[in-house]
Amino acid sequence: MKLITAIIKPFKVDDVKDALKAIGIQGITVGEVRGFGRQGGHTETYRGAEYKIEFVPKIQVEIVVDDGAADGAIEAIKASAVTGKIGDGKIWVTDVERIIRIRTGEEGPDAI
Amino acid sequence: MKLITAIIKPFKVDDVKDALKAIGIQGITVGEVRGFGRQGGHTETYRGAEYKIEFVPKIQVEIVVDDGAADGAIEAIKASAVTGKIGDGKIWVTDVERIIRIRTGEEGPDAI
Amino acid sequence: MKLITAIIKPFKVDDVKDALKAIGIQGITVGEVRGFGRQGGHTETYRGAEYKIEFVPKIQVEIVVDDGAADGAIEAIKASAVTGKIGDGKIWVTDVERIIRIRTGEEGPDAI
Amino acid sequence: MRTFKPFRYAVGAALGAALPVFIATGSAFAEDEPLAAETVQAVLDNIWVLVAGILVFFMQAGFALVEAGLTRAKNVVNIMAKNMADALIGILCFLAVGYAFAFGGDGWFIGTSKFFLSGQAPFDWGSSGVLNLSTSTFFFFQVVFAATAVTIASGAMAERTKFVSYLFFSAVMTAVIYPVVVHWTWGGGLIKRINIGDAVYSDFAGSGVVHLTGGVAALVGAALLGPRLGKYDANGKPRAIPGHNIPFAVIGVFILWLGWFGFNAGSELAADSLVMFVAANTLIAGAAGGVFATATVWLKSGKPDVGMAGNGVLAGLVGITAGCGALNFLGAFIAGAVAGIIVVLAVLFIDRRGIDDPVGAVSVHGVCGLWGLLAVGLFARYDDAFLGREKAGLFYGGGFDQLAVQALMGLIIIAWVGIMSLITFTIIKKTIGLRVTQQEEMEGLDVHEHGSPGYSSELLGMS
Amino acid sequence: MRTFKPFRYAVGAALGAALPVFIATGSAFAEDEPLAAETVQAVLDNIWVLVAGILVFFMQAGFALVEAGLTRAKNVVNIMAKNMADALIGILCFLAVGYAFAFGGDGWFIGTSKFFLSGQAPFDWGSSGVLNLSTSTFFFFQVVFAATAVTIASGAMAERTKFVSYLFFSAVMTAVIYPVVVHWTWGGGLIKRINIGDAVYSDFAGSGVVHLTGGVAALVGAALLGPRLGKYDANGKPRAIPGHNIPFAVIGVFILWLGWFGFNAGSELAADSLVMFVAANTLIAGAAGGVFATATVWLKSGKPDVGMAGNGVLAGLVGITAGCGALNFLGAFIAGAVAGIIVVLAVLFIDRRGIDDPVGAVSVHGVCGLWGLLAVGLFARYDDAFLGREKAGLFYGGGFDQLAVQALMGLIIIAWVGIMSLITFTIIKKTIGLRVTQQEEMEGLDVHEHGSPGYSSELLGMS
Amino acid sequence: MRTFKPFRYAVGAALGAALPVFIATGSAFAEDEPLAAETVQAVLDNIWVLVAGILVFFMQAGFALVEAGLTRAKNVVNIMAKNMADALIGILCFLAVGYAFAFGGDGWFIGTSKFFLSGQAPFDWGSSGVLNLSTSTFFFFQVVFAATAVTIASGAMAERTKFVSYLFFSAVMTAVIYPVVVHWTWGGGLIKRINIGDAVYSDFAGSGVVHLTGGVAALVGAALLGPRLGKYDANGKPRAIPGHNIPFAVIGVFILWLGWFGFNAGSELAADSLVMFVAANTLIAGAAGGVFATATVWLKSGKPDVGMAGNGVLAGLVGITAGCGALNFLGAFIAGAVAGIIVVLAVLFIDRRGIDDPVGAVSVHGVCGLWGLLAVGLFARYDDAFLGREKAGLFYGGGFDQLAVQALMGLIIIAWVGIMSLITFTIIKKTIGLRVTQQEEMEGLDVHEHGSPGYSSELLGMS
Ligand SMILES: Nc1ncnc2c1ncn2[C@@H]1O[C@H](COP(=O)(O)OP(=O)(O)O)[C@@H](O)[C@H]1O
Ligand SMILES: Nc1ncnc2c1ncn2[C@@H]1O[C@H](COP(=O)(O)OP(=O)(O)O)[C@@H](O)[C@H]1O
Ligand SMILES: Nc1ncnc2c1ncn2[C@@H]1O[C@H](COP(=O)(O)OP(=O)(O)O)[C@@H](O)[C@H]1O
């Protein structure tokens, strides 16, 4: 099984969720993060003084999927999260050795 | 070493922490996330209009443990986080290649 | 490629970011977490009653780097995040199988 | 009565002479002459109207909180800035020309003197030409009303209007649009030419003058702007965009209610026995509005939404504003209760019609403002609202005359404010533009328009 | 004095006739007759009491903020909704029957006339039967007191009470329980039959009538409900459940203090020289309460808890409420200081006894309300609180009579309110239920009872 | 007029005797004697000044919100605690000795009687020695001013001052430093000895007495403390530390403005025709300040910062405080507008000079307080501020005398407050220490100084 982690633009979260649902992904975990990257930050002003915000808000999406489903999920995220503008984010994949559903104790693909 | 990631119900966080402490786990990192899964969301109303909340609040627990301690930790989380109701969450395990304690520079099991 | 995860003290986040930038790391994702560890928590009082806070605020830093850049990144984090006091945090490394830049679809080291 | 501060005596002595008192006030009197009770009454009239005006002023904080509470965190600075700026601009514009247009003479359409309050003795009792009120007192009370009228629109136009465009609108509103409506009613304009049979139009504290006016401008503004991004789904079905801070909204409602006691009871423009009666009516109608709105939304959606309950309180208050002197306690209860029901239905209706009004301003002020005017025609019992006769309401045997004249004037206000707002907003749209860019709207107006967010978290906010 | 709005003149002219003024007010006078100073005084009395009542009304916002601040974010809508709803219901119930039970005649137990204010001339000075106050004025002042009394319980019962059950309780409280206590004291009931020696029970502004009454109901409610989930650990040791917004709590305290000047100084029911003295006492006692509570909690826990400091201010205010006219500045200081110490000890004591009172309402209003009654018996110096004699306090040589009658009446109030609350809450418990389900409590009352959370984050809140 | 509560009649009857009325008030009169209009005027004077004082009291909440909003979440409890504690301490210290130092006789330097208000008849009209005000009224009004003066420094010293040290400073400020300045101006001290030509120093409501005093103390405190950690980068360039809650700051500004109507208009210490004029001036100057500050910051930084707009409003208010009776509407507009510009420049200047004033207190109160004094010298038109002559301002042909005496007294205040603050803070620094530890500052004063955070999240907050 694979853990797919995607860093996306916040306003894309619904699109990504819908795209993943559409291909049958049944579980998603998301969190608020902040990212620093090529997009750079932006300048804000407060009481007449400028300051730089380097970390911009992003959403981190995590899904564990069966090996065979990984490519489809990645494509779905790519397609739904892309705007073509800098800062669209990354997807990375790591290997998952075990997965357990707490409620039932099921393990492996059944637990996803 | 293994990284054990658990997605649990928020009000279970103290129980899980106590269970992990009880078996000798000395470090835990937790974060607020939101999850979408079989549990589904729920309907809220605002100013007389309904809307659907699909992401429900969850806590993400991360612990890095020595290979030998992984099973015990998983059992402890399972036992303490379960309610038997849908939405209890998942536990997944990935392999950790290195771990370092920043303070001392120690590496490997000593750093956990 | 490697995913380097560091749990650091909140006020160290700017130092770590600067250190990573200095060695050419171009992307960082950070999130707010809370940690429990050797540092222990502290006692607070509210309306005259004491209670214990076991989870202290931490920042989780995640960077995906090319295999060759991992050691340098780890050193940079270690050097910039250390205070020598208990609670400085951990760094752990996991293997990343794929990484994709959403904007362009680039894969692998180019996508970092 | 001239007064001295303590050191004054000493100063006088030090300088070796009793310093003459230069300023002549209406109530000035020589020390030997006994003070007339009429003079004390004049002081009391002015003090009360000032205190009432101070309460009305505080409604600015109430509007700011209600609007902030019912919108999103990323636009909270913008909402606050608009609520502050429209007050600032409103005060200065009304001082410069608005007061003159409203009270400078009795042509049917518009006043033409007293610009910049020029030539108005600021101190003397009665110098405003209105009862015992001095120019200062009357100006103070009227200018805080103007600030209230303009601020109504900011809620309906929240989360997508360009800041500078809103400022421009605020200036036009307080300089021209609103003052003309005031002139027609309280300034002695149109009202004198419009009567149906015996019935003279009556709007004691401004259901029409202030609230209908503000509500119509709000409607035009919201319609021209279009809905917020994401407010309607692909099928045009409205989606809820929950407000970010409900406690703010509720505290805002309490502050507005507080201010409303000044708004309504101060509109007597004197300290007499009607004042307390008006305050009691204001209390009763607000309570009835809140209870009936809660019940209505509870029945319709299964939940007692507290934001809607707050809207109901405000609706009840708007509903009694015209008739707060003319209706008895029962009438106040009914006017408030009906307003509470109306507001919920109106919010849901307007939402479905594609007009995006985040805080319900059109429903509360516009729809219930009109209802308030009509309520006088239906339930007027007393002649405390300058109706010219007792029992003018339909249900008290007064026939349809009063109702008709109320409706007529309501329509005239709607037409005037509607057309003028349309012109103003259209000019803005064609020139500087009315709406922020899509990116600004998505990322929030706070950072883009005002430089930084309303809620900064230290952790990752700085570098 | 009848007043005209500006256009009025014009209207009269336009209609070709001076319109007769229909309404007869106590202060009406023909234009030729000189105005009597007594009439102006009557106007002033009513204006002052109205202004004081408006300040008391604003205490609703203060209670809402204090209670919201000291509880958790997931229940903030519920707290706000309860604070708004009990005011709305309280106003209507007190209008319907509460006022009648309180002031409708002088039977020893309960009033029996004036339901719905029927037959009461709303305008005339003195028409309420109380000094110069018109029915409108007196009703206004009394009804905002009723809204205050009922809202006290909401804090103690926070975070676990069913909304509809709380509404039911609010209705009973403002319709029956509270009005009867008012009748006994200010309505001329029991008070006339109970005197010990020369000593007549005295409760100037309601340490007993309002605060003890509210506090006892709060205690019964909190006890019957049981503690919040997680409030006590397995060994029954109390655990801290920190409030989610301390600034709210502190601002709430300031608003309450503001309102208290109306509460205490308005209770003179006239504009005279006692009013300012009462206000000064209110200021001093609040300050003393805050300082001594801060010191006490600092000594006991090592930290100057600001929520407790706020409780101390409120305790000081409750402690001076009965004696604000009878105690001199020194007495006010002592009454406040002692209340500040008491409240901290009481909060800790009640917490340990298994009664979960999230905001300290029982300690502030109940315990210190009783203390306020006793303080009159100890320190009464002046006869401004209708004691019938100067120096009635024990420490001024007045002996034990006053202290005894204060204690006696305190016990009677405790008994009455305790029993009535017990009956009311028990009926609710057996029928609709008093407490939300465990799931609702854990996930928060906001979403479950009111439909949506108090603080919505846009990011992940919508779909 | 003695008043009775309703039951009073009955009690009298029950006891078989009309109870004598013991308390003698200035306005007491036998029932048969007709009431003099002068008496009613005295009541009205006192009622108005009390109401004004109540508004001033409420400024505490405004200061707390502005300061909390412009600082960080981790220190919000501390800010709230300081704002509450300095009011509590201020009230008690001013009661004990401050009032005496300010008003206890007319030595040039300091008052020496009336400690603890001893020997002062609390009720009688005029018993304060100031016009018709009773001791209670005058004390009330003065003590809330003292609480205002002390609270100014808390903002400039925010986020790094030890709580106990701040308490100590508050006591010295309200017991000695501030009362002496009051004595010099309103207490009849220095002011009588300092005049240039005809010109007598004039500070109607306290641009100098309150705001300059508070601002100078704030400056000394902020300078001695040093900047917050991270406020300046390695090169000494200031870095922005954004406030955590902008809506708090804006609502705070509205509350302060509300209170300012009491502050300025109440300073007439009587109910007469100047009161409303002063209120109108206060409205105009605040609006002008806000508009011009917004424009200035917009031009300088490209964004209409709303916190700065709020500072501008406050600057305008401070700028008109001395001249609110002497300047006409145009003068008020100019005084406010100039203050609005000054405050923005001053904030940026002070920031660059290494003085870290998180909320701009030095600029708003100190710099614009001085400006307010000078504005009288420039624009004084009327003699309502006890100037001794009309048209004293330079621009009205009054020459330089008035300007010179204003500047002179401004310098004296700066010297006195500067030196005294320096001594006080230095003693504190050498003994208990002025600043928290680096760790406490980084982790927040809330947990370290007060025990727990201002915003608790349930999720991970408890164990
Ligand atoms: N090497 C990396 N490791 C971890 N997160 C990264 C990395 N590079 C980028 N990110 C995350 O992805 C986000 C977008 O990256 P950015 O470089 O700004 O744009 P793009 O992906 O379009 O090139 C960043 O804000 C950061 O959160
Ligand atoms: N495939 C998945 N990948 C990542 N997170 C998941 C996945 N499936 C479930 N989750 C997380 O676990 C939570 C519980 O899952 P859910 O399907 O609702 O219940 P259960 O685990 O009892 O079947 C979800 O809210 C989500 O946060
Ligand atoms: N085994 C672990 N797994 C996950 N996170 C850990 C682990 N051990 C420590 N941490 C994280 O690192 C933080 C610091 O660890 P701690 O033991 O307090 O200090 P130190 O790293 O200096 O020994 C903890 O608060 C926690 O967030």
Side-chain angles (χ1 to χ4, degrees), chain D residues 38 72 192 204 267 273 303, chain E residues 5 10 25 35 137 448 458:
Chain D
E38 279 78 3
R72 286 167 293 181
K192 290 195 296 184
F204 190 86
S267 287
S273 66
K303 299 284 181 187
Chain E
K5 286 213 180 173
T25 73
L35 181 57
T137 309
H448 283 278
E458 186 189 11

Side-chain angles (χ1 to χ4, degrees), chain F residues 162-346:
Chain F
K162 266 181 132 164
F163 186 59
V164 70
S165 308
Y166 181 76
L167 297 189
F168 188 83
F169 160 73
S170 301
V172 178
M173 183 78 174
T174 46
V176 184
I177 303 177
Y178 168 77
V180 167
V181 182
V182 173
H183 182 74
W184 291 349
T185 310
W186 300 330
L190 213 48
I191 196 169
K192 290 196 296 184
R193 284 84 178 179
I194 292 186
N195 50 291
I196 296 183
D198 253 14
V200 186
Y201 171 66
S202 166
D203 184 4
F204 190 85
S207 285
V209 177
V210 178
H211 297 284
L212 181 55
T213 296
V216 171
L219 176 64
V220 174
L224 278 186
L225 273 168
R228 289 168 291 173
L229 291 176
K231 172 64 198 174
Y232 294 92
D233 68 15
N235 309 318
K237 236 193 103 226
R239 311 201 312 176
I241 302 183
H244 85 284
N245 198 315
I246 302 302
F248 276 6
V250 174
I251 298 303
V253 169
F254 278 125
I255 291 177
L256 285 171
W257 202 344
L258 173 79
W260 231 290
F261 294 120
F263 200 93
N264 283 0
S267 287
E268 175 67 355
L269 302 179
D272 61 18
S273 66
L274 194 65
V275 167
M276 300 81 199
F277 173 68
V278 167
N281 266 351
T282 303
L283 193 71
I284 292 168
V291 165
F292 279 75
T294 306
T296 307
V297 75
W298 206 337
L299 286 172
K300 284 195 79 82
S301 76
K303 299 284 181 187
D305 186 274
V306 72
M308 209 61 126
N311 272 172
V313 169
L314 302 183
L317 294 170
V318 172
I320 194 61
T321 295
C324 56
L327 274 56
N328 61 15
F329 293 147
L330 179 62
F333 175 82
I334 297 172
V338 172
I341 297 169
I342 289 177
V343 77
V344 176
L345 304 179

Side-chain angles (χ1 to χ4, degrees), chain A residues 27 29 62-64 101 103, chain B residues 35-36 38-39 87-90:
Chain A
T29 301
E62 289 178 309
I63 48 170
V64 176
R101 183 190 310 279
R103 172 163 47 94
Chain B
F36 160 81
R38 280 181 183 71
Q39 184 186 355
D88 274 354
K90 312 276 184 240

Side-chain angles (χ1 to χ4, degrees), chain B residues 4-48:
Chain B
I4 301 174
T5 303
I7 310 294
I8 61 169
K9 290 194 167 157
F11 69 92
K12 279 294 191 180
V13 70
D14 276 344
D15 292 343
V16 170
K17 182 202 66 197
D18 291 340
L20 290 170
K21 275 168 79 171
I23 60 161
I25 302 287
Q26 295 195 1
I28 307 175
T29 300
V30 298
E32 296 185 30
V33 293
R34 284 176 172 260
F36 160 81
R38 280 181 183 71
Q39 184 186 355
H42 58 270
T43 300
E44 300 189 350
T45 66
Y46 176 73
R47 296 176 69 71

Side-chain angles (χ1 to χ4, degrees), chain C residues 34-48:
Chain C
R34 283 174 172 261
F36 161 81
R38 280 182 183 69
Q39 182 185 355
H42 58 270
T43 299
E44 300 190 350
T45 66
Y46 176 74
R47 296 176 69 71

